[in-house]
Amino acid sequence: VWQIRLDMHLLNHDGNITDAASIAGIVALCHFRRPDVSVQGEEVTVYTPEERDPVPLSIHHMPICVSFAFYHQGTYLLVDPTEREERVMDGLLVIAMNKHHEICTIQSSGVVMLVPDQILRCSKIAAVKVTEVTELIQKALENDQKARKEGGKFGFAESIPNQRITAFKMESAAVDTNDVEEQAGEIIAKADPPAEVFANPVLHTPGTAQIGEGIESSWGDLEESEKEEAAEEEGDSEAAAFECEKVETEDTSTMRETKNDEPIVLSDSEEEEVVILEPQELPRKTR
């Protein structure tokens, strides 16, 4: 059994670190080579790189993450947000998909409530982006393998002289912010938001909700055994309430009988003595 641990060190974070980390992680796993092994009976031989070329891992598919930032309560979306765009976004949706258009995972965060049409729209965009990124990854791996066979520089040996991995290494560029508001207004005017932006969730039980139309959710419903237990508890509570009401009725009847002129017999359970009192000797509280 081989144990592989993948560590990532961030040199520069300018937004959308999830997508960058997923691409770097899957490329590292595809690029990794383990020592070749042979098993003869109970004898296991692990060969060195000099004896046999290391073999790659069995990567069946490449799940790539695509992030979507939402603004104005989900009316507008933005793919691959920068660090400044993430500061002002209302919510974030991350879809991991492979080139076969199979969704591996979906993660939503923030305070925005998305409608099904918006999620389907994002999944279609993610399918196009994942196909493009997968082609770039495969092309980069082929170029790397070709450079290794030719004996040229590759990996860090090629990147270090060109200062391509230096943290925060970026050439300065002037940015014109004079007509930013006009450009933003034009983008919003041309945007095509979904027909329905807000939806009324159906609360079946505290902590759950259903958005849009679909199969009726049974989350929070009681099982048959739980229904029987609840019915029994409800019956016991009703019986207890009836007994309590009956006792109160009997106490009321007893109080009414004390208004007669007949003597009342009070019993002391501790000393077991019986005291007979005349009606005029009764305390006012007892009456």
Side-chain angles (χ1 to χ4, degrees):
V1 178
W2 295 97
Q3 180 179 1
I4 302 174
R5 189 182 71 180
L6 180 63
D7 296 329
M8 297 188 183
H9 301 276
L10 305 182
L11 301 179
N12 186 5
H13 177 23
D14 193 28
N16 196 14
I17 194 62
T18 303
D19 295 9
S22 68
I23 295 174
I26 194 65
V27 171
L29 293 176
C30 293
H31 189 266
F32 177 76
R33 298 292 187 272
R34 66 168 179 82
D36 194 6
V37 180
S38 65
V39 180
Q40 296 180 355
E42 297 182 356
E43 183 180 357
V44 179
T45 304
V46 180
Y47 298 96
T48 62
E50 291 76 13
E51 295 174 343
R52 287 189 181 181
D53 293 335
V55 295
L57 300 177
S58 298
I59 305 296
H60 301 289
H61 66 111
M62 299 181 184
I64 305 298
C65 293
V66 180
S67 298
F68 301 87
F70 294 93
Y71 305 88
H72 201 276
Q73 292 299 319
T75 306
Y76 308 105
L77 65 87
L78 182 65
V79 185
D80 191 10
T82 62
E83 190 268 340
R84 292 186 177 181
E85 292 168 344
E86 288 182 349
R87 291 184 182 182
V88 296
M89 67 182 180
D90 295 333
L92 182 68
L93 178 67
V94 181
I95 300 179
M97 184 184 297
N98 57 21
K99 66 177 182 180
H100 306 294
H101 298 176
E102 297 174 346
I103 296 178
C104 303
T105 182
I106 295 180
Q107 180 183 7
S108 177
S109 59
V111 296
V112 63
M113 182 179 294
L114 301 177
V115 297
D117 293 341
Q118 190 71 290
I119 298 178
L120 292 176
R121 180 185 177 191
C122 294
S123 63
K124 293 178 181 179
I125 297 175
V128 177
K129 294 294 182 181
V130 167
T131 303
E132 296 176 356
V133 174
T134 303
E135 292 178 356
L136 292 175
I137 291 175
Q138 293 176 347
K139 184 177 180 181
L141 292 174
E142 292 175 359
N143 294 337
D144 179 82
Q145 186 177 6
K146 182 179 179 181
R148 289 175 181 271
K149 289 182 178 180
E150 295 177 354
K153 293 184 178 180
F154 47 84
F156 285 102
E158 181 186 5
S159 303
I160 291 176
N162 299 330
Q163 296 183 352
R164 293 172 53 185
I165 61 173
T166 305
F168 299 103
K169 181 66 175 180
M170 181 182 295
E171 298 180 359
S172 59
V175 179
D176 186 9
T177 59
N178 294 326
D179 56 348
V180 172
E181 296 182 0
E182 297 179 0
Q183 293 179 2
E186 293 177 358
I187 293 174
I188 294 175
K190 295 179 181 179
D192 186 15
E196 184 181 2
V197 178
F198 300 95
N200 296 324
V202 181
L203 299 179
H204 296 279
T205 187
T208 64
Q210 178 179 342
I211 304 174
E213 298 179 357
I215 302 176
E216 184 177 355
S217 176
S218 60
W219 183 268
D221 295 345
L222 298 178
E223 300 291 342
E224 294 296 333
S225 59
E226 295 178 347
K227 290 182 179 179
E228 295 177 358
E229 294 178 358
E232 293 178 358
E233 293 178 357
E234 185 178 356
D236 295 340
S237 61
E238 292 179 356
F242 177 76
E243 292 293 337
C244 181
E245 183 179 357
K246 184 178 180 182
V247 172
E248 292 179 356
T249 305
E250 293 178 354
D251 294 343
T252 305
S253 301
T254 305
M255 293 297 293
R256 290 177 180 176
E257 292 177 357
T258 57
K259 294 182 180 181
N260 299 331
D261 295 337
E262 298 178 359
I264 298 177
V265 179
L266 301 178
S267 124
D268 190 350
S269 59
E270 295 181 357
E271 300 179 0
E272 295 183 356
E273 294 181 357
V274 178
V275 181
I276 300 177
L277 300 178
E278 295 297 331
Q280 63 272 14
E281 298 179 1
L282 290 176
R284 294 183 179 180
K285 185 179 293 186
T286 306
R287 292 177 181 235

